[in-house]
Amino acid sequence: MTEQPDNPTPESNEPESPKPRSRGIYLLPNLFTTGALFSGFYAVIASMNGHFENAAIAIFVAMVLDGLDGRVARMTNTSSAFGAEYDSLSDMVSFGVAPSLVAFNWVLSDIGKLGWFAAFIYVAGAALRLARFNTQIGSVDKRYFIGLPSPAAAASVAGMVWAAVEYDVDGGPYAYLIAFFVAAVGLLMVSNVLYYSFKDVDFKGKVPFIILAAIVLGLGVISISPPTFLWLLLLGYALSGPVQWALRKRKKI
Protein backbone atom coordinates (compact mmCIF):
# COMPACT_ATOMS: atom_id res chain seq x y z
CA MET A 1 0.00 0.00 0.00
CA THR A 2 1.60 3.25 -1.10
CA GLU A 3 1.83 6.09 1.36
CA GLN A 4 0.13 9.41 0.57
CA PRO A 5 2.36 12.47 0.87
CA ASP A 6 1.82 14.64 3.95
CA ASN A 7 1.60 17.79 1.87
CA PRO A 8 -0.55 18.00 -1.24
CA THR A 9 1.04 18.76 -4.53
CA PRO A 10 1.25 22.42 -5.55
CA GLU A 11 -1.28 21.81 -8.25
CA SER A 12 -3.95 20.78 -5.68
CA ASN A 13 -3.48 24.06 -3.72
CA GLU A 14 -4.23 26.30 -6.68
CA PRO A 15 -7.85 27.50 -6.75
CA GLU A 16 -9.83 27.06 -9.89
CA SER A 17 -9.56 30.08 -12.13
CA PRO A 18 -12.87 31.99 -12.28
CA LYS A 19 -14.71 31.99 -15.53
CA PRO A 20 -14.28 35.24 -17.40
CA ARG A 21 -17.32 37.46 -17.25
CA SER A 22 -19.02 38.43 -20.45
CA ARG A 23 -18.52 42.14 -21.09
CA GLY A 24 -21.19 42.38 -23.74
CA ILE A 25 -24.79 43.47 -23.33
CA TYR A 26 -27.93 42.34 -25.08
CA LEU A 27 -28.69 44.68 -27.94
CA LEU A 28 -32.37 44.20 -28.75
CA PRO A 29 -34.10 45.01 -25.41
CA ASN A 30 -31.67 47.82 -24.69
CA LEU A 31 -32.50 49.41 -28.05
CA PHE A 32 -36.10 49.79 -26.88
CA THR A 33 -34.88 51.23 -23.57
CA THR A 34 -32.64 53.67 -25.42
CA GLY A 35 -35.59 54.70 -27.58
CA ALA A 36 -37.65 55.39 -24.44
CA LEU A 37 -34.77 57.39 -22.95
CA PHE A 38 -34.41 59.44 -26.13
CA SER A 39 -38.16 60.12 -26.20
CA GLY A 40 -38.04 61.45 -22.65
CA PHE A 41 -35.04 63.64 -23.44
CA TYR A 42 -36.73 64.91 -26.58
CA ALA A 43 -39.84 65.79 -24.56
CA VAL A 44 -37.75 68.06 -22.33
CA ILE A 45 -36.10 69.80 -25.30
CA ALA A 46 -39.41 70.21 -27.13
CA SER A 47 -41.08 71.76 -24.09
CA MET A 48 -38.20 74.20 -23.69
CA ASN A 49 -38.85 75.32 -27.26
CA GLY A 50 -42.59 75.65 -26.69
CA HIS A 51 -43.57 72.54 -28.69
CA PHE A 52 -45.77 71.07 -25.99
CA GLU A 53 -47.80 68.81 -28.25
CA ASN A 54 -44.65 67.11 -29.53
CA ALA A 55 -43.35 66.85 -25.97
CA ALA A 56 -46.53 65.14 -24.76
CA ILE A 57 -46.55 62.71 -27.69
CA ALA A 58 -42.91 61.84 -27.01
CA ILE A 59 -43.80 60.82 -23.44
CA PHE A 60 -46.53 58.52 -24.76
CA VAL A 61 -44.01 57.02 -27.20
CA ALA A 62 -41.63 56.43 -24.28
CA MET A 63 -44.44 54.66 -22.42
CA VAL A 64 -45.00 52.29 -25.36
CA LEU A 65 -41.28 51.55 -25.75
CA ASP A 66 -40.91 51.00 -22.02
CA GLY A 67 -43.68 48.44 -22.15
CA LEU A 68 -41.95 46.60 -24.97
CA ASP A 69 -38.37 46.34 -23.71
CA GLY A 70 -39.14 44.01 -20.82
CA ARG A 71 -41.45 41.83 -22.90
CA VAL A 72 -38.87 41.58 -25.67
CA ALA A 73 -36.20 40.62 -23.13
CA ARG A 74 -38.38 37.84 -21.73
CA MET A 75 -39.46 36.58 -25.13
CA THR A 76 -35.88 36.43 -26.43
CA ASN A 77 -34.39 35.25 -23.11
CA THR A 78 -32.12 38.32 -23.00
CA SER A 79 -32.97 39.64 -19.53
CA SER A 80 -30.01 40.93 -17.55
CA ALA A 81 -29.16 42.96 -14.44
CA PHE A 82 -27.70 45.65 -16.67
CA GLY A 83 -30.94 45.91 -18.63
CA ALA A 84 -32.97 46.24 -15.43
CA GLU A 85 -30.78 49.05 -14.11
CA TYR A 86 -30.71 50.81 -17.48
CA ASP A 87 -34.49 50.58 -17.71
CA SER A 88 -34.89 52.13 -14.25
CA LEU A 89 -32.64 55.07 -15.12
CA SER A 90 -34.49 55.55 -18.40
CA ASP A 91 -37.81 55.56 -16.53
CA MET A 92 -36.55 58.28 -14.21
CA VAL A 93 -35.80 60.54 -17.16
CA SER A 94 -38.85 59.71 -19.29
CA PHE A 95 -41.48 59.40 -16.55
CA GLY A 96 -39.97 61.48 -13.77
CA VAL A 97 -38.01 64.45 -15.08
CA ALA A 98 -39.67 64.89 -18.49
CA PRO A 99 -43.36 65.18 -17.42
CA SER A 100 -42.56 67.59 -14.60
CA LEU A 101 -40.50 69.86 -16.85
CA VAL A 102 -43.13 69.74 -19.61
CA ALA A 103 -45.79 70.85 -17.11
CA PHE A 104 -43.44 73.46 -15.63
CA ASN A 105 -42.48 74.96 -18.99
CA TRP A 106 -46.14 74.93 -20.06
CA VAL A 107 -47.80 76.76 -17.20
CA LEU A 108 -46.32 76.05 -13.75
CA SER A 109 -43.50 78.56 -14.27
CA ASP A 110 -46.13 81.32 -14.22
CA ILE A 111 -46.85 80.85 -10.52
CA GLY A 112 -43.26 81.01 -9.29
CA LYS A 113 -42.05 78.91 -6.40
CA LEU A 114 -45.31 77.06 -6.01
CA GLY A 115 -45.01 75.88 -9.61
CA TRP A 116 -41.52 74.47 -9.30
CA PHE A 117 -42.36 73.01 -5.90
CA ALA A 118 -45.29 71.09 -7.41
CA ALA A 119 -42.99 69.91 -10.22
CA PHE A 120 -40.39 68.82 -7.67
CA ILE A 121 -42.97 66.83 -5.68
CA TYR A 122 -43.73 64.93 -8.87
CA VAL A 123 -40.02 64.27 -9.60
CA ALA A 124 -39.35 63.13 -6.02
CA GLY A 125 -42.43 60.91 -6.12
CA ALA A 126 -41.22 59.26 -9.32
CA ALA A 127 -37.74 58.66 -7.88
CA LEU A 128 -39.11 57.17 -4.66
CA ARG A 129 -41.62 55.08 -6.63
CA LEU A 130 -38.90 53.56 -8.81
CA ALA A 131 -36.60 52.91 -5.84
CA ARG A 132 -39.38 51.17 -3.91
CA PHE A 133 -40.41 49.13 -6.95
CA ASN A 134 -36.83 47.92 -7.50
CA THR A 135 -36.50 46.77 -3.89
CA GLN A 136 -39.88 45.01 -3.83
CA ILE A 137 -39.49 42.92 -6.99
CA GLY A 138 -40.51 39.35 -6.25
CA SER A 139 -41.93 40.13 -2.80
CA VAL A 140 -45.35 41.56 -3.66
CA ASP A 141 -48.47 40.34 -5.44
CA LYS A 142 -47.80 40.65 -9.16
CA ARG A 143 -51.47 41.38 -9.84
CA TYR A 144 -51.14 44.82 -8.25
CA PHE A 145 -48.77 47.77 -8.18
CA ILE A 146 -48.25 49.56 -4.88
CA GLY A 147 -48.69 53.18 -5.84
CA LEU A 148 -49.45 54.64 -9.25
CA PRO A 149 -46.94 53.29 -11.84
CA SER A 150 -44.63 56.01 -13.14
CA PRO A 151 -45.55 55.50 -16.85
CA ALA A 152 -49.24 55.97 -16.05
CA ALA A 153 -48.43 59.02 -13.93
CA ALA A 154 -46.36 60.51 -16.73
CA ALA A 155 -49.11 59.87 -19.28
CA SER A 156 -51.68 61.51 -16.97
CA VAL A 157 -49.65 64.73 -16.87
CA ALA A 158 -48.62 64.62 -20.54
CA GLY A 159 -52.16 63.80 -21.64
CA MET A 160 -53.47 66.86 -19.82
CA VAL A 161 -50.96 69.09 -21.62
CA TRP A 162 -51.66 67.44 -24.97
CA ALA A 163 -55.43 67.82 -24.65
CA ALA A 164 -55.15 71.45 -23.57
CA VAL A 165 -52.88 72.33 -26.49
CA GLU A 166 -55.09 70.43 -28.93
CA TYR A 167 -58.11 72.55 -27.98
CA ASP A 168 -56.16 75.80 -27.47
CA VAL A 169 -56.95 75.92 -23.77
CA ASP A 170 -54.91 78.53 -21.92
CA GLY A 171 -53.58 76.89 -18.79
CA GLY A 172 -52.75 80.20 -17.12
CA PRO A 173 -56.09 80.71 -15.34
CA TYR A 174 -55.92 77.13 -14.07
CA ALA A 175 -52.25 77.20 -13.02
CA TYR A 176 -52.92 76.56 -9.33
CA LEU A 177 -55.32 73.71 -10.11
CA ILE A 178 -52.75 72.19 -12.50
CA ALA A 179 -50.06 72.50 -9.83
CA PHE A 180 -52.31 70.63 -7.40
CA PHE A 181 -52.95 67.92 -10.01
CA VAL A 182 -49.23 67.44 -10.79
CA ALA A 183 -48.34 67.25 -7.09
CA ALA A 184 -51.24 64.86 -6.39
CA VAL A 185 -50.09 62.52 -9.14
CA GLY A 186 -46.61 62.58 -7.62
CA LEU A 187 -48.00 61.67 -4.21
CA LEU A 188 -50.08 58.85 -5.68
CA MET A 189 -46.86 57.25 -6.93
CA VAL A 190 -45.54 56.91 -3.37
CA SER A 191 -48.88 56.01 -1.78
CA ASN A 192 -49.86 52.53 -0.66
CA VAL A 193 -52.88 52.55 -2.96
CA LEU A 194 -53.12 49.38 -5.06
CA TYR A 195 -53.42 49.52 -8.84
CA TYR A 196 -54.24 46.58 -11.05
CA SER A 197 -51.13 45.58 -13.03
CA PHE A 198 -52.74 43.46 -15.81
CA LYS A 199 -49.82 41.05 -15.43
CA ASP A 200 -52.13 38.08 -14.89
CA VAL A 201 -53.86 38.61 -18.24
CA ASP A 202 -53.12 35.67 -20.54
CA PHE A 203 -52.52 37.25 -23.94
CA LYS A 204 -51.82 33.85 -25.47
CA GLY A 205 -55.05 32.26 -24.31
CA LYS A 206 -58.52 32.43 -25.79
CA VAL A 207 -60.96 35.18 -24.82
CA PRO A 208 -64.67 35.70 -25.49
CA PHE A 209 -65.50 37.46 -28.74
CA ILE A 210 -67.03 40.36 -26.82
CA ILE A 211 -63.60 41.22 -25.38
CA LEU A 212 -62.09 41.62 -28.84
CA ALA A 213 -65.10 43.66 -29.95
CA ALA A 214 -64.69 45.94 -26.93
CA ILE A 215 -61.01 46.48 -27.73
CA VAL A 216 -61.81 47.38 -31.33
CA LEU A 217 -64.53 49.76 -30.15
CA GLY A 218 -62.12 51.35 -27.68
CA LEU A 219 -59.50 51.92 -30.35
CA GLY A 220 -62.15 53.47 -32.56
CA VAL A 221 -63.22 55.88 -29.82
CA ILE A 222 -59.59 56.85 -29.09
CA SER A 223 -58.99 57.54 -32.80
CA ILE A 224 -61.72 60.22 -32.74
CA SER A 225 -59.57 62.42 -30.52
CA PRO A 226 -56.39 60.74 -29.24
CA PRO A 227 -55.38 63.59 -26.87
CA THR A 228 -58.74 63.69 -25.13
CA PHE A 229 -59.55 60.01 -24.85
CA LEU A 230 -56.01 58.87 -24.03
CA TRP A 231 -55.91 61.41 -21.22
CA LEU A 232 -59.33 60.37 -19.94
CA LEU A 233 -58.26 56.71 -20.09
CA LEU A 234 -55.09 57.32 -18.08
CA LEU A 235 -56.87 59.70 -15.73
CA GLY A 236 -59.47 57.01 -15.07
CA TYR A 237 -56.71 54.53 -14.26
CA ALA A 238 -55.05 57.04 -11.90
CA LEU A 239 -58.37 57.55 -10.09
CA SER A 240 -59.20 53.84 -9.98
CA GLY A 241 -56.75 53.23 -7.14
CA PRO A 242 -58.17 55.80 -4.69
CA VAL A 243 -61.74 54.83 -5.63
CA GLN A 244 -61.12 51.14 -4.92
CA TRP A 245 -59.28 52.04 -1.71
CA ALA A 246 -62.29 54.10 -0.55
CA LEU A 247 -64.67 51.26 -1.42
CA ARG A 248 -62.62 48.74 0.56
CA LYS A 249 -62.54 51.09 3.55
CA ARG A 250 -66.30 51.53 3.32
CA LYS A 251 -66.89 47.78 3.35
CA LYS A 252 -64.84 47.41 6.53
CA ILE A 253 -66.93 49.99 8.36
Side-chain angles (χ1 to χ4, degrees):
M1 184 176 184
T2 58
E3 296 182 358
Q4 297 293 335
D6 294 334
N7 297 321
T9 59
E11 290 77 3
S12 61
N13 276 334
E14 294 180 0
E16 295 183 2
S17 58
K19 296 181 180 179
R21 294 182 178 179
S22 174
R23 296 184 179 181
I25 59 174
Y26 294 114
L27 178 62
L28 186 57
N30 290 306
L31 280 178
F32 285 93
T33 305
T34 302
L37 177 62
F38 175 79
S39 297
F41 176 75
Y42 173 80
V44 175
I45 300 301
S47 69
M48 292 171 62
N49 293 324
H51 302 150
F52 298 110
E53 182 177 7
N54 293 340
I57 293 173
I59 291 175
F60 275 91
V61 172
M63 185 175 67
V64 173
L65 293 174
D66 178 70
L68 290 175
D69 59 0
R71 286 175 173 79
V72 169
R74 289 188 292 270
M75 289 174 59
T76 57
N77 196 27
T78 53
S79 301
S80 65
F82 173 85
E85 294 297 328
Y86 186 31
D87 179 70
S88 184
L89 293 173
S90 173
D91 288 352
M92 184 58 207
V93 174
S94 300
F95 308 132
V97 176
S100 63
L101 289 181
V102 170
F104 181 82
N105 291 328
W106 176 50
V107 72
L108 295 184
S109 60
D110 297 341
I111 55 176
K113 293 182 179 180
L114 184 61
W116 67 254
F117 181 65
F120 173 73
I121 290 177
Y122 179 92
V123 172
L128 293 170
R129 169 71 177 83
L130 290 168
R132 183 174 66 177
F133 177 79
N134 291 339
T135 58
Q136 291 180 339
I137 292 177
S139 61
V140 296
D141 191 345
K142 292 183 178 181
R143 295 176 300 170
Y144 298 98
F145 293 119
I146 300 178
L148 181 63
S150 57
S156 298
V157 174
M160 173 187 62
V161 177
W162 189 8
V165 173
E166 179 73 13
Y167 292 100
D168 295 323
V169 176
D170 182 12
Y174 310 102
Y176 289 98
L177 183 60
I178 293 170
F180 173 79
F181 176 76
V182 171
V185 171
L187 293 175
L188 279 176
M189 284 190 282
V190 295
S191 68
N192 290 325
V193 175
L194 298 180
Y195 286 87
Y196 186 54
S197 67
F198 299 99
K199 289 185 177 181
D200 59 343
V201 177
D202 184 11
F203 291 99
K204 296 181 180 180
K206 294 182 178 181
V207 297
F209 176 77
I210 190 65
I211 300 296
L212 180 60
I215 294 174
V216 173
L217 179 61
L219 292 175
V221 171
I222 291 174
S223 67
I224 297 173
S225 178
T228 302
F229 289 104
L230 281 176
W231 181 49
L232 291 177
L233 178 65
L234 271 301
L235 183 62
Y237 180 73
L239 294 175
S240 67
V243 169
Q244 291 182 2
W245 176 83
L247 292 176
R248 285 193 292 268
K249 287 290 185 180
R250 186 177 179 181
K251 290 181 179 179
K252 292 181 180 179
I253 296 177

